Structures are given as C-alpha cells and as structure tokens.
Amino acid sequence: MNLGYRILSLLADGRFHSGEELGTILGIGRSAVWKVVQSLEAYGVDIFAVRGKGYRLAAPLELLEPQRIVAALDAQAATLLRGIEVLREVDSTNHYLTEQAGQGAPDGYACFSEYQSLGRGRRGRTWVSPFGTNIYMSVLSRFDGAPEMLQGLSLAIGVAAVDALSSMGAGGIGLKWPNDLLWEGRKLGGILLETAGEFSGPWQVVTGIGINLGVPRTSARQIDQPWVDLRTIVQRDIGRNQVAGRLLQHTLTALEVFKRQGFIAFRRAWEARDVTRDRHVSLSTMAGVQQGIAQGVDDSGALILSVQGKPLRFMSGDLSLRIVA
Ligand code: BTN
C-alpha cells in the first residue's frame, strides 16, 4: 500500500486535498489518485470525495511513531522494552511476532501495526482491524513453568489493559472472563495469547491486544457483536501514540510481575473489574452449554460457577461466556 499509505499520510490532517495536489506530490495523475483512493476502501477508512474540493477523511488520523510510543513509557517499562516496530500493514501482529520470535527476537519485543488484513480474535474469529484508527499490539515474552499458568496470564493482561485505559480517563471498563474488555455490555477490546514451546517449558508467549479507539463507519458494519470505542467513552480526541504507549507500559510491567508472582498478584484487581460476578451466565464448553452463577476466579484464574449450589471450576482454553440475566 505504498502509494495508499502516502495518500493517507497526506489526508491525515482531516482537511480537503485536491486530486491535483495529491497527484503533484506523488508524481501521478488525478485519475491514478482516484484509483488509489478507491483501493483504500479495503483498508476500512472513511474517505469522502467531493467534486471541486477533493478528498477528505471523516476524521483526522494520528499515525503511530515508535519514538512517541516509547516516550510515553515510564522508566521501569522503558527498561523492559527490548525493541519496537510499527508496521504499516501486516496479516496479524501476533503471527508476525511469532515469526520474529523464531528468528531470535528477544523477550520484551513489541510490534504494532496500522492495519491488519487477517486480525485474529479468540475462538477463530476475525478481529476487524481498519487502518490508522485503533490499536493492534503484540508483545513477546518467554516463561518457565507449567502451561496451565498461562490461563492466569491472559487474565492478568486484561487487568493491565483496563488499568492502562482507566489511567487515561476511561472509566467504567470491566472484564468478562477470561479477558474481554467491556463497557456497558459492549466490546471495547480483546486479548489473544498465542503460545509455543515444549511441555516442560520454556514457553514462548505472544500477547496480542486489540483496542477499538475510533472505529470508522465502513468497518463498524463488519463487527458482529455490540461494540464501543475509546473516543465514545472519553468523549474527546485521544492520542493514539499515547494510548499505545500506556498500553505497552502496563503490559510489559504486568508480564514482569506475572513472571515473579503469577496470577495471585492480579486476582483481587481482576475480581474488582469482573462484570459477571453473581450474574446468571451461560458457558459454552466442548461438552455443551453450562449455566450457573458466576462466582469470580480462583488463584489460577479458573472461573468458578455455582451450579445448583455446587462450585465448578473451568479453565479458560477456548471457552466463551455469556451473561444470561
Ligand atoms: C478477542 O477475540 O477478543 C481477541 C482479539 C485480539 C486482537 C488482537 S489485535 C493484535 C493481535 N493480533 C491479532 O491478530 N490479534 C490480536
């Protein structure tokens, strides 16, 4: 998307730019500009074309810059970060980082992308990933220990993500087990951990986080569940580099704390943000649907459901939880 990226960078200010102006800067004709703009539809951005005025984005874009993301980190997180990349486009930042891990990328390596063509969600779903508006981040880490502990890690990262966003003034964000970020019942973000390794460890973990920051209308149509974005919650423009930095900071710190103390260090915070506590829920498992009353989590991050008065414990795996009442 080289030409497309350059056009989007020029349109990022949210003002009108004529086809002639864009064409002159890029060294192409007006009709070539038009073709490139049309091809940008696939990237999920809202672009208006107005006769006599030119092209304009529905809203200005703040493109990601590694230096600005790093500048937003506190001193501790800055020492934990061992490398950062901002890609223009990629299939999935998780997939990319898994490949980089195979080529020796270190613990604490982070990657962001402006756009994902095959963003991955939990349970084989697609994560709708339009260009330049939301956050798609993956961080690499390696752990010793049993694979069961990784369930607690995905919950700990949920706590880190909520803390990061709350610290920027976004109140009322909760967690639905195992790690959906919800606001008023609508999905704000999600977490996908992808692991590789021998049973006895060490485990290579790619922690992927997607946050809806400002979802363009074109892309909103593709999201198949109730959703919300951060700009709607905070009711103001919120800088993407700042959000990316804050998210990275809390993630790196949480990975470090988890390595030393495990989920127990996050359990209380997770339960304080649990939106399902004492609610009637329905859990889809391999063995079928299990209904019960949600009773929080145990020290490993397993969900406790009270079923006919008896506590049952569920490991996250690829389960999905729904609030019934
Ligand atoms: C979910 O379904 O709730 C999890 C969504 C995780 C999306 C993020 S975006 C960055 C990283 N790369 C991916 O392909 N997926 C995760």
Side-chain angles (χ1 to χ4, degrees):
M1 72 172 313
N2 211 8
L3 272 181
Y5 180 81
R6 290 182 66 197
I7 289 190
L8 284 168
S9 310
L10 294 166
L11 296 178
D13 59 11
R15 302 214 182 101
F16 272 110
H17 294 267
S18 69
E20 198 175 347
E21 176 199 338
L22 297 172
T24 307
I25 296 172
L26 300 174
I28 56 176
R30 273 167 46 193
S31 60
V33 169
W34 169 241
K35 277 198 193 127
V36 177
V37 168
Q38 281 190 316
S39 75
L40 290 174
E41 247 176 55
Y43 290 86
V45 280
D46 293 335
I47 304 187
F48 301 118
V50 176
R51 194 179 286 275
K53 286 188 160 181
Y55 304 100
R56 181 173 80 78
L57 291 174
L61 293 184
E62 182 186 309
L63 298 177
L64 294 175
E65 294 170 43
Q67 318 83 279
R68 290 180 69 189
I69 299 174
V70 172
L73 300 178
D74 66 11
Q76 189 199 5
T79 62
L80 297 169
L81 181 69
R82 301 282 309 287
I84 181 168
E85 260 184 280
V86 172
L87 308 168
R88 289 177 186 175
E89 76 175 301
V90 72
D91 51 359
S92 147
T93 53
N94 269 21
H95 180 223
Y96 177 79
L97 205 51
T98 302
E99 279 183 351
Q100 297 305 303
Q103 292 170 28
D107 244 23
Y109 197 86
C111 136
F112 292 81
S113 185
E114 296 289 8
Y115 171 77
Q116 296 187 119
S117 55
L118 283 171
R120 299 176 183 170
R122 285 186 69 239
R123 311 179 73 234
R125 292 170 90 150
T126 299
W127 189 255
V128 176
S129 308
F131 181 92
T133 54
N134 298 330
I135 303 287
Y136 321 115
M137 173 184 94
S138 298
V139 179
L140 176 65
S141 48
R142 293 182 179 85
F143 291 86
D144 291 314
E148 301 87 74
M149 64 175 247
L150 296 174
Q151 135 164 299
L153 176 59
S154 85
L155 274 72
I157 297 299
V159 171
V162 176
D163 285 350
L165 303 178
S166 308
S167 76
M168 304 194 73
I173 304 173
L175 288 165
K176 180 168 76 71
W177 187 87
N179 53 22
D180 281 351
L181 273 74
L182 296 185
W183 185 81
E184 297 191 352
R186 291 141 73 186
K187 185 135 170 172
L188 171 66
I191 293 162
L192 181 68
L193 259 56
E194 298 193 62
T195 57
E198 301 295 320
F199 189 80
S200 54
W203 287 86
Q204 169 191 300
V205 182
V206 171
T207 297
I209 306 182
I211 301 291
N212 295 331
L213 206 142
V215 176
R217 277 197 210 173
T218 317
S219 308
R221 289 194 282 270
Q222 296 162 23
I223 306 180
D224 60 359
Q225 56 186 324
W227 62 272
V228 67
D229 58 26
L230 200 58
R231 288 198 178 127
T232 306
I233 299 175
V234 297
Q235 293 287 312
R236 67 183 160 84
D237 227 7
I238 187 159
R240 278 177 83 225
N241 285 286
Q242 190 69 27
V243 176
R246 204 61 74 84
L247 207 58
L248 179 57
Q249 169 182 312
H250 284 260
T251 303
L252 288 166
T253 310
L255 287 166
E256 192 59 23
V257 172
F258 189 90
K259 267 184 195 166
R260 280 187 271 110
Q261 300 173 45
F263 177 64
I264 205 145
F266 298 87
R267 180 176 167 186
R268 195 181 286 254
W270 194 92
E271 290 197 315
R273 292 157 181 77
D274 179 6
V275 297
T276 60
R277 179 92 202 188
D278 297 327
R279 304 279 303 265
H280 182 194
V281 294
S282 159
L283 183 69
S284 305
T285 73
M286 301 270 260
V289 174
Q290 179 70 70
Q291 301 226 355
I293 308 293
Q295 302 283 277
V297 292
D298 69 9
D299 282 350
S300 72
L303 175 74
I304 310 296
L305 273 195
S306 169
V307 179
Q308 291 164 352
K310 281 205 188 107
L312 297 186
R313 184 174 174 271
F314 294 89
M315 307 279 279
S316 76
D318 219 11
L319 309 185
S320 127
L321 184 68
R322 192 168 61 81
I323 298 172
V324 175

